[in-house]
Amino acid sequence: MEKKVKALLDTITFLVFLFFDFVDVVLCVAYELLDKLFEAKPFPCYCGKKLETKELSETLFWRKNVFREMGFLSFGRKICEAVKKRDDGNRGEVVNRWSDCGCDSCVSWMKKSNQKLHVVVKEFPQVNSEDGPREEATTENVIFLHGFLSSSSYWTHSVFKYLSEPLNHQIYRYFAVDLLGFGKSPKPNDCLYTLNDHVEMIHKSVISAYELSSFHLVAHSMGCNIALALAAKYPKFVKSVTLVAPPYFSDSNDETSSSMALNTVARKTLWPPLAFGKSVMTWYEHVGRFFCFLICKNHTTWERIFKLFTQTRELNFMVVDLTRHTHHSAWHSMHNVICGGSKFMDDYVGILINAKVKVWVIHGDQDLTVPLDCSNNLKMKFPQLKLIIVQNVDHGTVIFHRKRDFVKSLQHIWATS
């Protein structure tokens, strides 16, 4: 009986995703046509594009589609080739895509000549003792990096409320960053959102802008990959790295690492609904763009609707963050940072171990988004790492259900580093 049920579910799953294969091919032609009509310099999709650089993830190119392999795109592209691209003299400018939101908040970054990430800074003032200023006090800097489809609010609404100035004559400055393409940070359409793109923007917006000569790193989920890349580039600057639920999928074969990451974090499944939505948005470039066109482009409208139904003035920051991105930024960050970035993780951790940088890993034992096996495998590969397994918490509650304890753990890590 169980085998029959499993066979039935497998058949239904196959048919559902076969339908999405067809829809994705149709939308590929539709978007190519619309992009040529509305954009001066359309960004090409990955349906027929070949791998050109090591920084791009293999998962962008080898996602199989039955109808694409049968040549269904040929006829549609002949129609698209007959349509001339719009030429309005703005080819050199980075403009907003027609399918992205154009509200004041989403396009404000375009008005700035020197584009930087949105950074929230929390700093405690120098406290004078009875004998005068504390001249012996030193400043410790901490950079917080959020995960996928989130923003700096992830930290400012959680641990920032419980951070206080530690003792031992140290003054702490905390930097919560909106990563490139998310929250209030720039979302350029000419960017591929590689690990290097994220690292360079953090250096420009935080390390260089605030003249940091040393810092601690705290990161959650996707932010862990970026934190390791940043730390490996500046190992002499980094005092400690704390990774919360890191998506570690290392393998001796680079391509296998990327595919392992994709099939783990976005495996094709119908249940639960969140996993189903994640798989559709990750496997199907054009279906994902369609949903972003409906939701992200109209996020202000959806926010007003939610406020009306919930009778609240302010929505939960997690609900707001889910739509504060473009399909282009989310799509490339998922593939180039989480999936493609997995093949660099061993090298990055190795650099930190050799530089004697302390790396701590915190993971919930009930995490279904990024399985605990990721951190266990990381610990097995690098025994020098410190692994803390928290019982009865998942991907989000590992922080949000234990904010005070999490802050205490961080302060202990910083003090011992």
Side-chain angles (χ1 to χ4, degrees):
M1 183 65 179
E2 290 182 2
K3 291 183 178 179
K4 291 182 179 180
V5 172
K6 184 178 183 304
L8 178 61
L9 290 176
D10 290 342
T11 301
I12 295 174
T13 301
F14 171 77
L15 292 175
V16 169
F17 285 98
L18 182 66
F19 169 74
F20 280 113
D21 279 358
F22 175 73
V23 173
D24 202 60
V25 168
V26 173
L27 288 176
C28 174
V29 176
Y31 276 121
E32 186 171 345
L33 180 62
L34 291 169
D35 287 347
K36 284 188 175 183
L37 288 172
F38 296 127
E39 295 182 9
K41 191 178 181 180
F43 191 93
C45 67
Y46 292 96
C47 293
K49 194 176 180 181
K50 295 182 180 180
L51 183 63
E52 297 177 353
T53 171
K54 189 179 179 182
E55 283 193 278
L56 297 185
S57 173
E58 295 81 3
T59 58
L60 287 168
F61 307 92
W62 59 249
R63 293 167 296 104
K64 293 183 178 180
N65 185 302
V66 174
F67 296 97
R68 186 168 63 233
E69 293 176 1
M70 292 171 61
F72 274 52
L73 282 176
S74 301
F75 176 74
R77 283 187 166 161
K78 288 180 180 179
I79 300 175
C80 293
E81 289 174 2
V83 179
K84 294 182 178 180
K85 295 181 181 179
R86 190 188 74 173
D87 187 356
D88 58 2
N90 292 325
R91 289 181 181 274
E93 298 180 8
V94 181
V95 296
N96 202 41
R97 303 189 82 174
W98 66 270
S99 56
D100 294 337
C101 179
C103 73
D104 291 340
S105 175
C106 289
V107 300
S108 60
W109 60 273
M110 296 182 185
K111 302 173 184 177
K112 303 174 184 177
S113 57
N114 186 19
Q115 295 170 10
K116 292 183 180 180
L117 301 178
H118 175 72
V119 182
V120 178
V121 183
K122 181 174 183 178
E123 183 174 7
F124 293 95
Q126 175 104 15
V127 179
N128 296 333
S129 65
E130 295 179 357
D131 298 327
R134 293 189 336 190
E135 296 180 357
E136 72 278 9
T138 58
T139 300
E140 296 281 344
N141 303 295
V142 186
I143 302 175
F144 290 83
L145 305 179
H146 63 79
F148 189 61
L149 301 186
S150 189
S151 74
S152 56
S153 297
Y154 189 86
W155 302 109
T156 59
H157 283 69
S158 57
V159 300
F160 269 36
K161 295 181 179 180
Y162 298 93
L163 289 169
S164 59
E165 184 183 8
L167 301 176
N168 301 326
H169 306 294
Q170 292 176 328
I171 301 173
Y172 277 72
R173 286 194 300 174
Y174 306 103
F175 302 86
V177 180
D178 279 7
L179 291 173
L180 185 65
F182 299 94
K184 296 179 181 179
S185 285
K187 305 167 182 65
N189 187 45
D190 63 344
C191 177
L192 294 175
Y193 297 88
T194 63
L195 277 171
N196 189 58
D197 290 328
H198 285 284
V199 168
E200 288 300 318
M201 283 299 288
I202 294 171
H203 178 267
K204 175 183 177 181
S205 308
V206 184
I207 300 175
S208 177
Y210 292 91
E211 300 180 346
L212 306 188
S213 58
S214 66
F215 54 85
H216 301 270
L217 281 169
V218 180
H220 176 249
S221 195
M222 182 189 78
C224 295
N225 289 11
I226 299 172
L228 287 174
L230 179 67
K233 188 168 184 178
Y234 306 102
K236 294 182 179 179
F237 287 36
V238 182
K239 304 188 74 171
S240 74
V241 179
T242 304
L243 308 175
V244 185
Y248 175 78
F249 306 97
S250 182
D251 193 274
S252 57
N253 185 309
D254 289 346
E255 185 174 338
T256 304
S257 296
S258 301
S259 61
M260 187 189 305
L262 179 62
N263 285 304
T264 302
V265 300
R267 179 176 61 89
K268 287 186 176 181
T269 181
L270 300 180
W271 193 263
L274 184 61
F276 171 65
K278 190 191 306 179
S279 61
V280 171
M281 297 295 287
T282 305
W283 282 86
Y284 298 101
E285 180 178 1
H286 305 289
V287 174
R289 185 178 174 186
F290 173 75
F291 282 112
C292 282
F293 174 69
L294 290 180
I295 300 174
C296 298
K297 180 179 174 63
N298 304 289
H299 69 87
T300 53
T301 301
W302 289 111
E303 288 170 12
R304 286 195 293 268
I305 293 174
F306 274 113
K307 288 179 181 178
L308 181 64
F309 276 94
T310 58
Q311 295 295 307
T312 57
R313 292 184 178 181
E314 295 294 332
L315 294 175
N316 185 288
F317 75 92
M318 291 186 179
V319 175
V320 176
D321 285 346
L322 281 174
T323 60
R324 293 298 176 91
H325 61 87
T326 65
H327 174 257
H328 187 82
S329 66
W331 171 261
H332 286 89
S333 291
M334 165 61 79
H335 285 279
N336 289 334
V337 175
I338 297 178
C339 298
S342 61
K343 60 191 176 187
F344 304 114
M345 293 302 106
D346 280 355
D347 292 338
Y348 293 155
V349 177
I351 291 173
L352 298 180
I353 296 297
N354 292 333
K356 297 183 179 180
V357 176
K358 291 192 175 182
V359 181
W360 293 71
V361 180
I362 302 175
H363 213 128
D365 68 338
Q366 302 297 318
D367 195 332
L368 299 179
T369 303
V370 177
L372 179 59
D373 286 346
C374 290
S375 290
N376 285 330
N377 292 336
L378 182 59
K379 174 65 175 178
M380 289 179 61
K381 194 72 172 286
F382 300 96
Q384 302 92 330
L385 274 62
K386 302 292 185 181
L387 173 60
I388 301 174
I389 300 176
V390 186
Q391 303 297 318
N392 302 317
V393 293
D394 58 25
H395 197 64
T397 56
V398 67
I399 294 175
F400 279 89
H401 281 190
R402 46 186 302 277
K403 299 172 187 175
R404 293 184 184 277
D405 290 336
F406 182 73
V407 169
K408 288 180 180 178
S409 297
L410 291 180
Q411 292 176 336
H412 170 73
I413 292 170
W414 300 336
T416 56
S417 299

